[in-house]
Amino acid sequence: MTKNEGKEIVNRLFQEHFGCISKSGSGVFFAPGRINLIGEHTDYNGGHVLPCAVSLGTYGLFQRRSDRKLRFYSGNEPGAGVIETSLDELQPDRRFGWAEYPKGVLWAMKEEGFPIETGFDMAIYGDLPGGAGLSSSASLEILTGFAVRGLFDLDISDIKLALLGQKAENEYCGVRSGIMDQFASALGRKDHAIFLNTADLSYQYVPIRLPGAKIVISNTNRKHKLADSVYNERRRECQEALDQLKKAVNIQNLCDLTPEEFEQHRGVIQDPVLKKRARHVVYENARTLEAAKALKKGNISRFGGLMNEAHESMRRDYEATGIELDTLQEEALKIPGVIGSRMTGAGFGGCTVSIAEDSSIDRFIQEVGDAYLKEIGYAADFYIAEIGSGPRRL
Ligand code: GLA
């Protein structure tokens, strides 16, 4: 979908559900989703990640009101109709469905003392496949924060926008996610990955140069539900492993350990499952550091090899892939010209990202698609990733 099409859709939705659009106090905004190239489940362990914003995301028309009402409409969830609440009723309540994300961001802004005195109406439409692990929720959070910052002229940095989105997700929506998704959406840059150290939020942009190749996103179409999934359980397991390691070594986060240090001290972790979880995190962080180096040097084949190892570690040690993601990854690697492939995001369904030579892409989509349908019983979807920039006013 082009930016103009997105703009037209939210204009139409807004007029249909809220009436006319005034010139002042309104605006159309966009915030992207993301893929992560490598560094999975490291972001709540003080490690590194390497995500990029994609050109798909969420569009929204926002218009300020003079009272304290809030009204929400999503073209992706027409059945939910217009959802109405007010700035004085910002408590988590699942009955509000998708509107919990914008409500959560407003709650986080209020908690942090940002003055929002009047409400607004907002109509949104997104072209990210929902529940596919491409961070449609982070894109909605960043869209809300970015639009509210613009409409109410608030002094909030881009990093702070990401943190407010994460606070909403963690404390309002109940998913204890790390900072990666909101950071990638808020700070994405066209044709660059963000090499982010989640321990101190320092970051660098790394250009993605893939001569003669592209990133293919393959969607399992298995819906993953982050909130009630194994995500929070993995986080708890990492915390337990960290608590045990702290008895032997002075660290704040699992990712403070190099693989060598981990091998030296892993004996203090009794439970073999916790040991595997920690091993994934420590090695994944080391792989991410190496992958960023390889990308900077343009060594794409090394980068691809690290992606494959990362997938294997998510499968074996973190146990967060499943038959759908594993089938997509294994089948992708059978296609000549595929340089690397791995699951992206939280796992438990969602998407893989693969680097494939241009000449192999048709065959990739055909053969991986056929094998997936045969094995899983329903079809996968394929998209060529376009690395886009962060949020903007249209
Ligand atoms: C989800 C979370 C992120 C990150 C990934 C796994 O996308 O929102 O914070 O933990 O899973 O890397």
Side-chain angles (χ1 to χ4, degrees):
M1 193 160 86
T2 65
K3 296 289 168 282
N4 271 339
E5 284 165 347
K7 203 171 165 179
E8 271 167 32
I9 293 176
V10 291
N11 256 297
R12 180 175 51 75
L13 292 174
F14 193 95
Q15 285 172 345
E16 274 170 24
H17 297 280
F18 300 122
C20 63
I21 302 165
S22 66
K23 282 227 166 65
S24 67
S26 70
V28 179
F29 302 85
F30 169 81
R34 65 97 190 88
I35 50 175
N36 184 25
L37 298 179
I38 195 162
E40 224 63 89
H41 292 273
T42 47
D43 69 342
Y44 50 86
N45 289 299
H48 292 77
V49 291
L50 198 61
C52 349
V54 289
S55 60
L56 307 175
T58 314
Y59 296 81
L61 198 157
F62 291 67
Q63 177 162 292
R64 283 177 71 156
R65 303 176 55 91
S66 49
D67 58 15
R68 291 178 62 81
K69 260 193 207 164
L70 296 164
R71 294 193 299 173
F72 307 98
Y73 183 84
S74 166
N76 301 96
E77 304 240 7
V82 173
I83 300 172
E84 198 172 311
T85 183
S86 98
L87 286 169
D88 304 309
E89 290 162 49
L90 296 174
Q91 302 92 25
D93 183 342
R94 279 178 182 234
R95 285 174 304 177
F96 284 89
W98 72 269
E100 283 301 88
Y101 294 105
K103 277 177 67 200
V105 171
L106 292 167
W107 168 84
M109 287 178 151
K110 200 170 162 187
E111 284 279 298
E112 306 255 331
F114 293 108
I116 305 164
E117 299 304 335
T118 56
F120 53 84
D121 295 331
M122 92 189 230
I124 63 155
Y125 184 75
D127 58 0
L128 282 163
L134 300 178
S135 292
S136 51
S137 59
S139 104
L140 176 53
E141 288 155 2
I142 298 305
L143 174 76
T144 307
F146 186 83
V148 168
R149 174 173 89 180
L151 290 186
F152 293 88
D153 214 6
L154 302 174
D155 183 16
I156 307 178
S157 70
D158 292 342
I159 292 187
K160 186 69 187 175
L161 274 186
L163 288 166
L164 288 166
Q166 185 195 17
K167 186 178 171 81
E169 185 91 41
N170 290 178
E171 296 173 37
Y172 199 87
C173 303
V175 184
R176 298 189 59 216
S177 60
I179 188 66
M180 172 171 74
D181 304 348
Q182 290 80 10
F183 203 97
S185 178
L187 284 105
R189 178 181 285 183
K190 187 155 179 49
D191 296 329
H192 288 72
I194 308 174
F195 179 43
L196 168 67
N197 179 353
T198 64
D200 60 8
L201 300 188
S202 57
Y203 64 101
Q204 275 171 25
Y205 289 108
V206 185
I208 302 199
R209 287 190 219 96
L210 302 172
K214 292 196 172 52
I215 300 173
V216 181
I217 302 175
S218 310
N219 185 352
T220 60
N221 285 324
R222 172 184 154 178
K223 293 283 174 250
H224 78 162
K225 265 256 159 272
L226 263 185
D228 44 26
S229 76
V230 213
Y231 189 90
N232 288 349
E233 183 186 312
R234 288 291 178 279
R235 213 180 153 151
R236 213 165 34 242
E237 289 168 342
C238 288
Q239 185 60 47
E240 266 181 57
L242 174 64
D243 290 343
Q244 296 183 16
L245 279 162
K246 276 182 168 172
K247 292 180 191 143
V249 49
N250 182 16
I251 50 169
Q252 299 297 319
N253 292 302
L254 285 180
C255 292
D256 293 344
L257 293 176
T258 61
E260 296 70 31
E261 289 163 342
F262 173 73
E263 293 304 332
Q264 196 185 333
H265 298 294
R266 67 182 180 154
V268 295
I269 309 176
Q270 298 298 321
D271 180 348
V273 171
L274 294 186
K275 209 178 279 185
K276 288 205 298 186
R277 304 294 189 251
R279 183 168 65 180
H280 164 76
V281 169
V282 171
Y283 279 79
E284 180 77 353
N285 188 47
R287 268 191 295 274
T288 306
L289 294 169
E290 209 190 322
K293 269 192 210 151
L295 192 60
K296 284 181 198 163
K297 282 194 200 140
N299 188 345
I300 302 305
S301 73
R302 177 69 190 133
F303 192 88
L306 290 161
M307 289 173 81
N308 300 340
E309 283 174 32
H311 184 93
E312 178 54 18
S313 174
M314 280 293 291
R315 186 187 69 74
R316 186 196 58 215
D317 284 350
Y318 222 64
E319 295 176 283
T321 55
I323 173 111
E324 299 86 358
L325 287 166
D326 290 338
T327 302
L328 284 179
Q329 197 253 2
E330 282 160 26
E331 293 299 329
L333 293 185
K334 289 182 190 164
I335 310 292
V338 171
I339 301 163
S341 183
R342 61 177 289 275
M343 52 73 67
T344 189
F348 328 111
C351 293
T352 62
V353 284
S354 310
I355 302 181
E357 286 172 9
D358 294 337
S359 58
S360 69
I361 291 179
D362 288 345
R363 184 167 168 195
F364 180 111
I365 294 173
Q366 186 67 47
E367 292 184 16
V368 176
D370 287 349
Y372 186 82
L373 180 61
K374 197 160 160 230
E375 179 72 28
I376 307 296
Y378 51 85
D381 283 322
F382 300 91
Y383 328 91
I384 305 297
E386 261 182 62
I387 309 305
S389 31
R392 70 213 91 128
R393 192 175 188 141
L394 300 175

